[in-house]
Amino acid sequence: MVNRYRNAVIFGGSGFIGRYIVRRLAKTGCQVVVPSRHPGQATYLRSAGAVGQIVPIAVDIHDDQSVANAVAGADLVINLIGILAQSGRNSFEAVQHQAAARIARAAKAAGVRRFVQMSALGADASSRSAYATSKAQGEQAVLSAFPSATIFRPSIVFGPEDGFFNRFAAMSQTAPFLPLIGGGNTRMQPVYVGDVADAIVAAVETEGTEGKIYELAGPRTYTFKELIDLTLAQVGRPKKCTLSLGFGMASLLGGILQNLPGQMLTADQVELLKTDNVVSGAKPGLTDLGVQPTAVEVILPTYLDKYRIGGRFTQPVSPAS
Ligand SMILES: NC(=O)c1ccc[n+]([C@@H]2O[C@H](COP(=O)([O-])OP(=O)(O)OC[C@H]3O[C@@H](n4cnc5c(N)ncnc54)[C@H](OP(=O)(O)O)[C@@H]3O)[C@@H](O)[C@H]2O)c1
């Protein structure tokens, strides 16, 4: 039997992954509320539904009453809120642990039927990375407030608006080289954003996914260096335009850059790169939800072509050159 929802509330629905989930849920006919710090910046989502179907609202995720107001009347709540760098009161602990707990508690109190929590591969309460520990604590807090919640742990997510391939492709246009942190040996399994959204929608529509943790990954494992080489090939630069940067030096650099506007790199991100970002094999994944993983090589050319030297109609160079 397919579960249908009348009122979905998607925290973080204005972000990269969120917009794909908002669009898919809107197609099922449900009302979609998107709580955001900047609801004005989320109005672009409205065109994905009928008039009045997608509604951005203001929320303060650090405030119980504000969160309770946001989830009132919902039958489905999805929490996608996450940050890669801390600033001010938006620490990993406050955003990825305490706010996740607050949203799950409010959803339970409001009688919400289904809850989805977006975590990440590498979530680990004993990690030296504050990002990874807060994701693990967020999972635990959500499950204790809302035991039937479904948790998703994706590897790096790619797609037209991603922060990984776009960042390195943009950097390659001006920087003389791209940094291979830790020598570029960290292993990753990039997963396509459309597949992540399909998996989440499939999970909430299907009985038997409650209380489970899904690890979401693409069809192949790559090293960080291989992903940088793929990016360089797409933008038409030879793969020798890279520089190996040891973890120690990268951590020092991150410690400086994290205090500058834009926070291009943080020491915590360097810490994360010390651990492979691949599935454990012990948890269900995309195919268990009926989703066939899409290869990076199929999608990258469709959005990295805008960075290509000589214009988007020139041919990418071979990654082997
Ligand atoms: N992208 C990846 O490669 C990847 C990999 C693994 C896991 N994830 C997880 O997937 C989730 C979504 O990631 P994404 O790539 O879509 O990130 P994103 O584009 O940065 O979106 C993050 C969302 O979180 C919201 N948010 C952040 N801080 C907030 C705060 N203090 N109050 C209210 N809203 C806040 C933002 O909303 P406003 O700014 O509009 O308020 C935005 O909608 C995150 O939990 C992330 O950790 C992502």
Side-chain angles (χ1 to χ4, degrees):
M1 197 187 81
V2 172
N3 292 325
R4 290 283 185 217
Y5 299 89
R6 283 190 303 140
N7 295 302
V9 176
I10 309 185
F11 289 84
S14 59
F16 162 46
I17 300 171
R19 70 194 69 192
Y20 288 81
I21 299 170
V22 169
R23 286 184 198 129
R24 280 159 174 72
L25 282 173
K27 282 208 178 89
T28 69
C30 76
Q31 177 89 18
V32 184
V33 171
V34 181
S36 165
R37 284 171 296 183
H38 318 288
Q41 289 170 21
T43 50
Y44 76 93
L45 292 167
R46 285 181 184 274
S47 61
V51 175
Q53 189 187 1
I54 299 170
V55 187
I57 62 165
V59 75
D60 176 0
I61 58 164
H62 307 294
D63 181 75
D64 287 345
Q65 191 56 54
S66 179
V67 170
N69 293 344
V71 301
D75 47 7
L76 167 66
V77 170
I78 300 177
N79 177 30
L80 302 168
I81 290 177
I83 50 175
L84 269 176
Q86 317 188 82
S87 80
R89 69 175 182 152
N90 289 313
S91 62
F92 288 129
E93 164 67 14
V95 173
Q96 300 192 151
H97 176 195
Q98 297 302 339
R102 182 171 295 112
I103 294 169
R105 280 195 308 269
K108 194 42 133 182
V112 168
R113 265 201 296 146
R114 286 298 305 267
F115 193 95
V116 168
Q117 169 68 14
M118 183 65 109
S119 184
L121 273 189
D124 175 4
S126 60
S127 170
R128 293 180 55 160
S129 151
Y131 172 90
T133 51
S134 65
K135 280 290 193 189
Q137 289 164 342
E139 288 183 2
Q140 279 314 309
V142 164
L143 285 174
S144 69
F146 207 117
S148 65
T150 307
I151 312 264
F152 288 88
R153 294 179 180 164
S155 184
I156 287 180
V157 184
F158 67 93
E161 307 85 1
D162 72 41
F164 183 87
F165 290 105
N166 277 297
R167 169 182 294 209
F168 287 112
M171 260 177 88
S172 77
Q173 292 188 307
T174 50
F177 58 82
L178 295 185
L180 294 178
I181 294 169
N185 297 317
T186 314
R187 291 161 65 243
M188 302 170 176
Q189 273 179 286
V191 56
Y192 176 49
V193 65
D195 295 340
V196 172
D198 285 344
I200 290 177
V201 174
V204 297
E205 288 185 340
T206 313
E207 306 281 348
T209 58
E210 298 88 346
K212 289 191 176 163
I213 297 179
Y214 288 85
E215 295 185 334
L216 305 183
R220 251 195 72 188
T221 301
Y222 304 79
T223 62
F224 181 59
K225 180 178 183 323
E226 286 171 331
L227 294 177
I228 294 293
D229 286 346
L230 272 179
T231 308
L232 288 170
Q234 284 302 322
V235 301
R237 290 192 61 173
K239 69 177 187 180
K240 59 180 179 290
C241 300
T242 55
L243 182 76
S244 186
L245 198 60
F247 282 124
M249 185 56 80
S251 187
L252 277 177
L253 190 63
I256 297 167
L257 292 177
Q258 69 192 18
N259 297 311
L260 300 179
Q263 297 179 301
M264 263 189 71
L265 181 70
T266 69
D268 198 74
Q269 287 164 3
V270 176
E271 196 57 50
L272 268 180
L273 279 169
K274 293 181 183 172
T275 308
D276 288 339
N277 199 253
V278 295
V279 295
S280 65
K283 304 268 186 243
L286 283 178
T287 52
D288 297 283
L289 292 164
V291 180
Q292 288 307 316
T294 308
V296 171
E297 290 82 353
V298 173
I299 304 290
L300 273 197
T302 67
Y303 65 97
L304 289 192
D305 58 350
K306 60 179 173 285
Y307 300 101
R308 211 167 276 161
I309 293 164
R312 67 187 340 148
F313 298 111
T314 53
Q315 288 303 308
V317 300
S318 158
S321 64

